[in-house]
Amino acid sequence: MVPGFPGEAVFTIGSCAAVLALTAKRGGAARLFSCGCAMTVGLAALSLMTRRNFLLYLAVLVLVSGEIIGMGKAQEGDLFKDGLAARVSVLMAGSVLVCTVILLATAIGADSPGYVSQSAAFAAIQRAGIESRSPVLTDLDSGCEAELFGYRPTLDTRVEVLCGVYGGTGVLTPPAAALSGKGTIAYCVKLGIVAAVLPIGSYDAAVAQLNGAGWDVVHDDGTTVALVLPGAETVK
């Protein structure tokens, strides 16, 4: 998110640092190990990797803001601080709602070159007869788009949320190896992958292997390449 959305990245890093600093000041160093701080730091890190996690991060800010304001009360039942904590929480909740509307509107009307290119690539594999719910070789970025089109991406949100492990099985290392060109064809055969949508210049070794195995290029606009397994239109 840093190169693509620098403003949101700066806000994420700054607000996360502010939460930690205020927690340490008002609640002591021991409070830095609280669940609120852990969630804030974790979601801030995820937000810097993928923008859609930014909304989850804002939601956590709503939860921790009232807690921070209420720390270090002079006496039990301090109505002023209770009221201030409530006002801050309401303000944060309203801010999250506004940001949600803005982000959704931006996503719906997205026309960045990368977004347009990925959308065209998935439209191309649809025209090639690749059924929805079919597995598709992707990286994390194009995997997000694959989910929106109804495909099963190689890398998806499980990697973000579960740190590369799903059901006791590693879901990050095998696709990462395939994307680097190590056993790409064997990996696709094992999982029944019938199409690939990848950014050009990042996974050239994998694309070369697919080309060498006779996969058809159905889209290549210089930004994103889409390939399909010959005869894959018969796969249900």
Side-chain angles (χ1 to χ4, degrees):
M1 191 167 72
V2 174
F5 306 95
E8 292 176 11
V10 170
F11 173 82
T12 299
I13 296 173
S15 58
C16 182
V19 166
L20 297 180
L22 289 172
T23 300
K25 179 179 179 180
R26 300 181 66 86
R31 295 300 295 269
L32 289 174
F33 298 96
S34 65
C35 292
C37 286
M39 292 176 64
T40 302
V41 173
L43 282 174
L46 289 176
S47 296
L48 293 176
M49 289 192 293
T50 53
R51 188 179 183 225
R52 61 185 174 193
N53 291 318
F54 185 61
L55 293 179
L56 294 177
Y57 174 71
L58 291 177
V60 169
L61 285 183
V62 173
L63 297 177
V64 301
S65 59
E67 178 184 357
I68 292 175
I69 295 298
M71 287 179 182
K73 291 182 179 180
Q75 58 184 8
E76 192 67 27
D78 189 327
L79 296 181
F80 172 76
K81 289 186 176 179
D82 284 343
L84 180 59
R87 288 182 176 86
V88 170
S89 295
V90 170
L91 176 62
M92 290 296 298
S95 300
V96 169
L97 178 60
V98 171
C99 288
T100 300
V101 173
I102 293 175
L103 289 176
L104 288 177
T106 302
I108 293 174
D111 57 356
S112 66
Y115 176 85
V116 172
S117 177
Q118 285 185 6
S119 297
F122 281 101
I125 67 173
Q126 282 183 333
R127 291 193 299 271
I130 304 302
E131 301 280 340
S132 60
R133 300 183 302 278
S134 297
V136 179
L137 184 67
T138 65
D139 64 354
L140 187 56
D141 184 43
S142 55
C144 298
E145 189 74 10
E147 293 174 332
L148 296 177
F149 275 87
Y151 291 104
R152 291 159 46 200
T154 308
L155 293 179
D156 56 24
T157 50
R158 296 177 303 177
V159 177
E160 301 170 53
V161 176
L162 300 175
C163 301
V165 177
Y166 181 72
T169 303
V171 295
L172 178 59
T173 303
L179 289 171
S180 69
K182 298 177 181 178
T184 305
I185 302 301
Y187 179 76
C188 291
V189 171
K190 178 180 178 181
L191 296 185
I193 294 173
V194 296
V197 174
L198 298 169
I200 293 176
S202 299
Y203 309 102
D204 291 343
V207 172
Q209 282 203 18
L210 296 174
N211 272 322
W215 285 46
D216 297 326
V217 176
V218 296
H219 176 83
D220 185 348
D221 60 4
T223 300
T224 307
V225 60
L227 307 95
V228 299
L229 179 67
E233 62 273 10
T234 62
V235 177
K236 302 295 182 182

